[in-house]
Amino acid sequence: MKSFSVSDLDRKDIYSLIISLIAPRPIALVSTVSRSGIDNLAPFSYFNGIGSNPASLSFSIATKEDGSLKDTAKNLLETKNCVVNFVTEDVFEAMKLTANDFEANIDEFSEAKLTKLPSDLIKSMRVKESIAQFECELIDLMNVSNRLESLLEHSILGFNHKLEPGSGNLAVCRIIKVHFSESILRDGTNHKIDALKYLPIARLGARHYLKSSIDNFIQ
Ligand SMILES: Cc1cc2nc3c(=O)[nH]c(=O)nc-3n(C[C@H](O)[C@H](O)[C@H](O)COP(=O)(O)O)c2cc1C
């Protein structure tokens, strides 16, 4: 058994241990929109549900090496809504493309050749090719560092304010509308998903992914 104090490891090693051991992780392909109307897409696998009352989920956006926020976090602070698009084989290759660090003025739907589908209740676009989407409103965005602060409360500091590199910015969102393809509906029901039909792709450590397959299901 190998044991390390976190204080003896550098940040890149800690990152690698976290993503290798907390696995497999679901992937949220998150679309947001800036105040000036530029649509953005990026995948996040520090992602999970929180509760059903209110219907809520969270994902965590790491602070960049220079202490600045990724576009997804900036857009959330500006417009306070997002769509979580779910990842199956249909959008897997495009999802990886959207992880590139594009300039904020680049529309990542066109870069990834994905089709925009307007949301019913919010400004952020849905990904038409994605098998399911949640329309969400931001409840809070919390920077998890030594200083524990809510970015929403402190957004007055402006985007020049530097955060701890690698610190997580936890987006907590209320799910306000759900869309999913009839192809994953459980027979005889109106809003239940058939676990044997929905085949999500999950992220493992490094650049590895896990493909769900009927042959691998256990009970
Ligand atoms: C499958 C996958 C999962 C990812 N998960 C995360 C994550 O949970 N948190 C994070 O900050 N970055 C994550 N990334 C990296 C971001 O997607 C990447 O930094 C992206 O460029 C951010 O885009 P933005 O600046 O448009 O927000 C992930 C990348 C991939 C390919």
Side-chain angles (χ1 to χ4, degrees):
M1 181 71 90
K2 286 201 166 273
S3 308
F4 301 95
S5 290
V6 166
S7 52
D8 293 337
L9 295 171
D10 74 32
R11 202 151 39 71
K12 296 224 162 70
D13 292 333
I14 295 167
Y15 167 76
S16 169
L17 285 169
I18 290 176
I19 70 159
S20 300
L21 287 170
I22 304 181
R25 294 183 305 289
I27 303 170
L29 177 57
V30 177
S31 71
T32 51
V33 61
S34 69
R35 195 183 290 128
S36 59
I38 311 267
D39 292 308
N40 190 82
L41 269 176
F44 295 91
S45 64
Y46 283 176
F47 161 53
N48 226 315
I50 298 179
S52 45
N53 184 21
S56 48
L57 58 80
S58 70
F59 56 94
S60 176
I61 310 160
T63 302
K64 298 210 272 191
E65 287 305 306
D66 65 1
S68 68
L69 291 172
K70 296 186 181 184
D71 294 334
T72 301
K74 288 184 185 170
N75 289 350
L76 280 171
L77 288 172
E78 286 187 356
T79 56
K80 302 187 178 52
N81 68 84
C82 66
V83 175
V84 168
N85 300 279
F86 289 80
V87 177
T88 57
E89 268 195 291
D90 307 317
V91 295
F92 178 59
E93 293 302 328
M95 174 279 291
K96 286 189 285 178
L97 263 178
T98 66
N100 288 319
D101 193 10
F102 292 106
E103 294 291 318
N105 61 348
I106 300 289
D107 183 330
E108 292 174 44
F109 277 85
S110 348
E111 293 299 318
K113 301 197 170 40
L114 290 169
T115 317
K116 291 178 190 178
L117 199 60
S119 293
D120 291 345
L121 305 174
I122 55 173
K123 287 265 164 57
S124 297
M125 292 283 173
R126 295 188 276 147
V127 171
K128 187 171 179 215
E129 292 80 359
S130 165
I131 204 154
Q133 308 109 21
F134 284 168
E135 296 184 28
C136 301
E137 281 173 346
L138 184 69
I139 295 174
D140 204 351
L141 186 60
M142 189 184 83
N143 179 260
V144 181
S145 70
N146 296 333
R147 297 190 312 280
L148 286 187
E149 64 182 19
S150 159
L151 285 176
L152 270 184
E153 283 164 17
H154 289 261
S155 58
I156 193 161
L157 291 168
F159 293 144
N160 293 327
H161 177 63
K162 296 294 177 213
L163 299 159
E164 289 291 330
S167 61
N169 300 285
L170 188 69
V172 177
C173 299
R174 184 189 302 267
I175 306 162
I176 54 173
K177 186 131 189 182
V178 176
H179 308 265
F180 63 88
S181 158
E182 292 202 12
S183 64
I184 57 173
L185 186 66
R186 196 195 300 171
D187 290 343
T189 70
N190 192 32
H191 40 61
K192 291 199 190 312
I193 305 290
D194 189 330
L196 302 178
K197 292 183 181 160
Y198 172 52
L199 301 173
I201 287 183
R203 190 174 188 200
L204 302 170
R207 292 183 183 279
H208 295 105
Y209 295 88
L210 200 62
K211 210 162 92 172
S212 315
S213 140
I214 286 210
D215 301 335
N216 292 332
F217 288 156
I218 50 173
Q219 246 183 354

